[in-house]
Amino acid sequence: MGRPLKIKKSTTIDIGFNNFGNLTASSVGSTSFTSSQFVGVVGGANASIATATFPVVACNANINGLGNTASYIIRQKGATKYLVGSTDTTTAANIVAGSSYLIVTAGTTTFTSIGAPATATVGDIFTANQAGTGTGTVNLVGQCLLANEANIANLTANTMHILFSFDGDEANTAPVARLDNRFVFNYNASNTANTMFSSNFFTTGNTMPKSGAEADTFSNSTGNILTGLITNYQS
């Protein structure tokens, strides 16, 4: 199915590759890289860590039918299915029994009393059995399917969208039908994956050269491949 981006999985979420500052000198091969520079881009993480050089895929989701919110990818579950979390924080008192949550701040809330395991800590996900008390906060979490819907207000329960620009204009976007660490696909009239674009997470642009391509045999005789700029969170 391909991961949504160049990422690795920790014990809880998909995260970016180690920054250069945490690699050995023989691996880096250059002393010019710093600890703020990463290989590729990150797929799963809260938007609060995003920077211009470390973007995070932006998505919107209607998790468990509890409302449409800006969200972030926690983990990819299938070709078009993701575990996502809302970027909106919820207080313990507003937790809904039966829904899953990622602990953002522990505060004075005893999460073990509302369904979290004894080892639960910030960043862990649990399914609540009742509302809580105290000052702890969480993000609503759930599995959602990509939908061919650009308007966040029209997303139905447990659906989501990721948008991308395909013509070099960031203002012109379309829903992603499928996304991996190399390509992004739009939808066709049958509501399935259609045209393939080269995944782009940093700059606008409509085409890019294809290494080794013969101009007369690739992409309308131009030697270029179309690129799709994935909407992302940046600082």
Side-chain angles (χ1 to χ4, degrees):
M1 65 184 175
R3 290 212 173 269
L5 301 167
K6 293 182 177 181
I7 52 181
K8 68 177 183 181
K9 188 168 71 174
S10 72
T11 56
T12 55
I13 63 172
D14 286 337
I15 57 177
F17 287 135
N18 294 333
N19 61 56
F20 289 106
N22 286 333
L23 297 176
T24 63
S26 59
S27 298
V28 174
S30 171
T31 58
S32 63
F33 293 117
T34 70
S35 59
S36 65
Q37 294 174 303
F38 290 76
V39 179
V41 292
V42 68
N46 196 302
S48 62
I49 71 167
T51 67
T53 55
F54 189 32
V56 172
V57 170
C59 61
N60 291 284
N62 185 344
I63 304 171
N64 295 344
L66 296 179
N68 303 307
T69 66
S71 302
Y72 59 96
I73 296 169
I74 298 174
R75 190 176 302 125
Q76 187 169 7
K77 307 293 288 185
T80 60
K81 181 189 293 185
Y82 296 86
L83 181 68
V84 296
S86 170
T87 59
D88 291 342
T89 56
T90 300
T91 59
N94 290 317
I95 286 175
V96 176
S99 292
S100 296
Y101 296 89
L102 182 146
I103 302 174
V104 177
T105 60
T108 59
T109 301
T110 304
F111 284 102
T112 54
S113 67
I114 58 174
T119 57
T121 186
V122 171
D124 287 346
I125 297 171
F126 71 99
T127 299
N129 55 27
Q130 61 181 320
T133 60
T135 60
T137 60
V138 295
N139 288 155
L140 178 67
V141 168
Q143 291 187 31
C144 292
L145 290 170
L146 288 176
N148 186 10
E149 177 54 67
N151 189 341
I152 180 177
N154 294 334
L155 291 172
T156 57
N158 299 317
T159 64
M160 62 182 286
H161 73 209
I162 300 170
L163 301 179
F164 79 106
S165 170
F166 51 88
D167 61 0
D169 185 348
E170 289 186 72
N172 297 330
T173 58
V176 170
R178 197 169 80 240
L179 173 67
D180 60 34
N181 60 4
R182 292 182 299 167
F183 302 109
V184 56
F185 298 79
N186 65 1
Y187 286 94
N188 59 19
S190 300
N191 201 37
T192 56
N194 189 28
T195 305
M196 178 176 68
F197 302 79
S198 178
S199 298
N200 175 9
F201 303 94
F202 296 95
T203 60
T204 59
N206 194 33
T207 63
M208 64 178 292
K210 182 177 185 294
S211 177
E214 294 291 338
D216 60 350
T217 61
F218 190 80
S219 189
N220 299 322
S221 302
T222 65
N224 292 334
I225 185 172
L226 294 172
T227 66
L229 177 64
I230 315 301
T231 302
N232 54 73
Y233 298 115
Q234 295 184 0
S235 61

